[in-house]
Structures are given as C-alpha cells and as structure tokens.
C-alpha cells in the first residue's frame, strides 16, 4: 500500500493519560486499500462515533478491530491527536488493519490479542484509561467471505472456525466429543431445538473434516431447508461460539472495559444475536444498579456501588438505508453506557 508521508504531533498527555476536550464534529470518509477496493463499511459507524462522543485529544480502544473500519472513523473524527488502541484475536485481521491504518503513525497501536485481556494489554502499552471503548462482536465479512476460516457453509473447506489459528479446531471437537456434549453445545449456543437429532447424526457420520460435510449432514438430519434459512445455520453459530469461547470472553471483556474506562467514558457494544445481547444487557443493568441482592432478601446487604449509567435504555438498530445496503447489519443491536 502506498501512503503519503504524514507528520503527526502527539498530545502532551501521551498514551499514559487521557483528556476530554469539548466534542468536535468532523466528517468521516472511507480509505481505500492498496487494491483500490473500498474498505468494508463498518456497522452503525455514525451511531458508534456519536455515542462514543469522539473528540480530539482522547484515547479510544477498539477491542474488536477487524478490518479497522470503526478505528478509521475514530481516528478521522478525533484528528489531529486522538489515539486508538486496536485489538483483535485474528492476526490476519490485525495485519490487514495495519496496512490500512499505518499512515496514522503513532496515533494508532494495533495488537494481536483478546479484548478480554484489554486491561492487561492497555497497561503494557501505557494506557491508563480510555475515553471510549467499542466492541463490535461476531465475525467480520472478511472472515466469512475469504477461504481459510471455515466459518461458512457457502464453500467446502476445512472445518476450522477459529479466529486465532491456535488450539483445537471445530472439526477436532466434532470428532471427539460425545453425543450429549455435542447436543448441549448446539442447543446452548445455537438455540437449536433439534440439537439431539443433529448430535446423533454427527456421531454416526464421523469423521467430519469439512464445512460441506457438516452442512449436508445437518440438512439431512433436519429434513432440508427451513424457509429461507439453511438448516445448518444455528449449528454453525453454536460451533463458532464454542470454538472461540465467545460468550466467556465477552463476560471478561465487559468487566475489563468497565475497569479501563475513565469517568465519563463511554462503552459501546454491537451484538448480533440474542445470546450476546442478553449478556450485554444483564451486565449493563447490573453495573448501573444500586443493589444486586437476591430479590428474596427484605433489605439490601450488598453495598453495591454502580459504575455505569445507561445512556440509552432502548437498543439502537441500523437505519433502513443501512440494512438495505448492508444486509448483514440487519441483526445488529447497539447498547451504550457511561462510566460514573
């Protein structure tokens, strides 16, 4: 990628401090990759920037960096000296973002890691607190469209499903877990009512090595398509969530983000299915509550101190125009809270 040389001045506070100047309204444009293809448009970018209150001189964490679309918008709107720490579990995504954001120099720091560890990652890089943290959950279009991830039944390829290519693959799990464990995972993470039938078919059809094998096996077990949705959709979701421990990392990431936020800092979370959104809602409600005692107790004994306040009680969804231009955004739900 060819970029122009840009000289940047770091703010006086540097990475170890934060500042909150008055918000400045700036336009956001999209950068072009080296192959002249436009950068994938991130979901609810305008809404994310608005709720994060992006401004110059502030520090932001994008815990799910992906292709760098949200990070790019934050860098542009926080010019000339806003800082972004970008984290992603997928080293391939980090490298793609590095190519697209590299010309921002020391205004951006990109890290291969897990957002569940953002407190430790931030400490190691001198980030004492953040004015805004964004978590755009789920997988990216790049991961679903490109070969090598094994996330989609749209092509037949090795059944991998890992964001970070270390540890056991989804195929490893399918070929070793017993029927009860398989059924429980598919039911819990895929909300698939016929999980037992699918688990039985998997055990009887092993070994399973590719996405096509699994998709065809599930389709036969369920008797073909269900309306416009492929019958293996929920099973693939369950295995992806399980392979990457997505819900466990989300719980840890929400706790880390709450600790890392500066007073007045904003946390924006975009989720794509009910399991994620329910977990986010419960965390935000808990951290905004003055009491978290069991309801059967007659008086409060927990002495819980709220750390967050809700900025918008209702979820925010993509506009009709965005859903039309980007169908994959249709299931997105955005929630936002502010550190007390």
């Amino acid at each position: 990628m060819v970029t122009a040389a840009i000289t940047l001045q770091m703010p006086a506070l540097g990475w170890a401090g934060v500042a909150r100047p008055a918000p400045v309204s700036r336009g956001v444009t999209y950068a072009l990759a080296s192959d002249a293809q436009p950068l994938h448009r991130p979901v609810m970018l305008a809404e994310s920037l608005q709720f994060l209150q992006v401004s110059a001189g502030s520090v932001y964490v994008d815990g799910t960096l992906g292709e760098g679309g949200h990070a790019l918008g934050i860098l542009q709107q926080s010019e000339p000296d806003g800082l972004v720490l970008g984290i992603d579990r997928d080293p391939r995504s980090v490298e793609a973002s590095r190519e697209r954001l590299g010309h921002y120099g020391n205004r951006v720091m990109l890290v291969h890691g897990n957002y569940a560890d953002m407190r430790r990652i931030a400490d190691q890089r001198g980030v004492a607190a953040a004015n805004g943290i964004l978590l755009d959950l789920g997988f990216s279009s790049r991961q679903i469209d490109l070969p090598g991830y094994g996330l989609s039944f749209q092509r037949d390829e090795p059944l991998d499903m890992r964001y970070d290519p270390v540890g056991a693959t989804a195929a490893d799990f399918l070929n070793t877990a017993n029927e009860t464990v398989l059924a429980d995972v598919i039911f819990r993470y895929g909300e698939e009512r016929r999980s037992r039938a699918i688990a039985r078919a998997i055990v009887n059809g092993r070994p399973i090595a590719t996405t096509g094998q699994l998709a065809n096996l599930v389709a036969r077990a369920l008797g073909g398509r269900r309306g416009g949705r492929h019958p293996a959709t929920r099973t693939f979701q369950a295995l992806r969530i399980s392979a990457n421990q997505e819900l466990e990392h989300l719980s840890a990431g929400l706790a880390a983000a709450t600790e890392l936020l500066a007073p007045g800092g904003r946390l924006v979370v975009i989720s794509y299915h009910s399991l994620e959104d329910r977990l986010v809602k419960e965390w935000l409600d808990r951290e905004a509550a003055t009491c978290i005692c069991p309801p059967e107790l007659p008086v409060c004994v927990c002495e819980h101190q709220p750390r967050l306040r809700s900025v918008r009680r209702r979820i925010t969804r993509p506009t009709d125009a965005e859903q039309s231009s980007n169908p994959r955004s249709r299931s997105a739900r955005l929630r936002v809270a502010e550190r007390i």
Side-chain angles (χ1 to χ4, degrees):
M1 178 174 180
V2 178
T3 58
I6 299 177
T7 301
L8 297 169
Q9 298 296 322
M10 293 294 287
L13 283 174
W15 279 93
V18 294
R20 294 191 59 81
V24 178
S25 176
R26 292 183 173 86
V28 175
T29 58
Y30 292 98
L32 293 178
S34 57
D35 58 2
Q37 294 298 316
L39 182 65
H40 172 71
R41 182 165 48 191
V43 172
M44 288 194 280
L45 175 61
E47 294 87 343
S48 298
L49 298 178
Q50 174 188 348
F51 285 125
L52 285 171
Q53 296 183 320
V54 176
S55 60
S58 297
V59 177
Y60 300 92
V61 175
D62 184 345
T64 49
L65 179 66
E67 295 180 62
H70 285 106
L72 174 64
I74 294 170
L75 287 163
Q76 290 178 335
Q77 189 150 321
S78 65
E79 290 178 348
D81 54 3
L83 305 173
V84 172
L85 170 61
I87 304 168
D88 203 282
R89 296 179 64 185
D90 181 0
R92 295 156 288 190
S93 293
V94 174
E95 288 308 308
S97 291
R98 199 180 307 281
E99 290 185 11
R100 289 172 171 143
L101 304 176
H103 62 281
Y104 282 95
N106 54 10
R107 285 187 58 205
V108 60
M109 185 180 298
L110 306 180
V111 179
H112 171 222
N114 192 322
Y115 71 86
D117 301 321
M118 77 170 75
R119 174 75 267 184
R120 178 183 58 80
I121 292 171
D123 287 344
Q124 290 175 344
R125 286 154 180 83
V127 180
N131 300 113
I133 297 175
L134 173 69
L135 300 178
D136 181 16
L137 307 175
F139 49 81
S140 71
S141 294
R142 176 179 177 274
Q143 290 165 326
I144 199 74
D145 291 336
L146 293 182
Y149 290 89
L151 289 167
S152 174
F153 40 71
Q154 295 174 356
R155 69 172 62 84
D156 191 23
E157 62 177 338
L159 188 60
D160 191 319
M161 293 196 173
R162 299 168 300 172
Y163 300 138
D164 193 347
V166 296
T169 66
D172 294 331
F173 171 69
L174 284 183
N175 291 317
T176 57
N178 65 44
E179 184 176 323
T180 300
V181 171
L182 286 170
D184 288 347
V185 165
I186 295 169
F187 179 78
R188 178 183 179 190
Y189 295 137
E191 299 179 296
E192 171 59 73
R193 283 188 248 180
R194 298 191 60 192
S195 62
R196 295 188 183 281
I198 295 171
R200 189 177 308 115
I202 289 172
V203 170
N204 292 335
R206 295 194 294 210
I208 300 169
T210 71
T211 56
Q213 283 180 277
L214 177 61
N216 291 334
L217 186 151
V218 174
R220 289 196 301 271
L222 299 184
R225 282 189 174 271
R226 303 171 174 181
R229 173 182 287 189
H230 193 287
T233 299
R234 292 181 181 274
T235 300
F236 269 67
Q237 172 184 301
L239 294 175
R240 189 201 79 233
I241 292 173
S242 176
N244 295 288
Q245 297 182 289
E246 291 181 25
L247 297 186
E248 293 85 352
H249 292 150
L250 176 55
S251 295
L254 291 170
T258 303
E259 293 176 2
L260 185 58
L261 278 173
R266 295 281 183 88
L267 171 62
V268 170
V269 185
I270 303 173
S271 59
Y272 294 87
H273 57 76
S274 59
L275 296 175
E276 291 174 339
D277 184 60
R278 188 180 310 129
L279 198 158
V280 174
K281 181 181 184 301
E282 289 174 355
W283 174 265
L284 298 184
D285 286 346
R286 172 188 172 88
E287 290 303 313
T290 55
C291 174
I292 57 173
C293 290
E296 61 270 16
L297 289 182
V299 295
C300 176
V301 296
C302 68
E303 300 182 350
H304 181 259
Q305 296 296 317
R307 296 189 292 174
L308 299 173
R309 74 169 186 87
S310 176
V311 173
R312 180 181 172 88
R313 291 291 300 175
R314 296 193 306 174
I315 59 174
T316 299
R317 294 185 179 274
T319 63
D320 291 341
E322 179 171 4
Q323 292 184 49
S324 177
S325 64
N326 180 14
R328 286 177 179 166
S329 72
R330 289 174 182 167
S331 60
R333 309 165 189 179
L334 183 153
R335 295 186 185 273
V336 56
E338 183 175 289
R339 186 71 156 90
I340 296 175

